[in-house]
Coordinates of all heavy atoms in Angstrom, one line a residue:
N157 N -66.4 34.5 34.8 CA -65.2 34.5 33.9 C -64.9 35.9 33.5 O -65.6 36.8 33.7 CB -65.3 33.5 32.7 CG -66.3 33.9 31.7 OD1 -66.5 35.1 31.5 ND2 -66.9 33.0 31.0
T159 N -64.7 37.7 30.7 CA -65.6 38.4 29.8 C -66.9 38.8 30.5 O -67.4 39.9 30.4 CB -65.9 37.6 28.5 OG1 -65.7 36.2 28.7 CG2 -65.0 38.1 27.4
D160 N -67.4 37.8 31.2 CA -68.7 38.1 31.9 C -68.5 39.1 33.0 O -69.3 40.0 33.3 CB -69.3 36.8 32.5 CG -69.9 35.9 31.5 OD1 -70.1 36.4 30.4 OD2 -70.3 34.8 31.8
C257 N -58.9 33.0 30.9 CA -60.0 33.9 31.0 C -61.3 33.2 31.3 O -62.3 33.9 31.7 CB -60.1 34.7 29.7 SG -58.6 35.6 29.2
N258 N -61.3 31.9 31.0 CA -62.6 31.2 31.3 C -62.8 30.8 32.8 O -63.9 30.4 33.2 CB -62.6 29.9 30.5 CG -61.4 29.0 30.8 OD1 -60.2 29.6 31.0 ND2 -61.5 27.7 30.9
Ligands
NAG188 C1 -67.8 33.2 29.9 O1 -69.0 32.6 30.2 C2 -70.0 32.8 29.2 C3 -71.3 32.1 29.6 O2 -71.7 32.8 30.8 C4 -69.5 32.2 27.8 O3 -70.5 32.5 26.8 C5 -68.2 32.8 27.4 O4 -67.7 32.2 26.3 C6 -67.2 32.6 28.6 N1 -66.0 33.3 28.2 C7 -64.8 32.8 28.4 C8 -63.6 33.7 28.1 O5 -64.6 31.7 29.0

Side-chain angles (χ1 to χ4, degrees):
N157 70 29
T159 23
D160 283 350
C257 307
N258 58 321

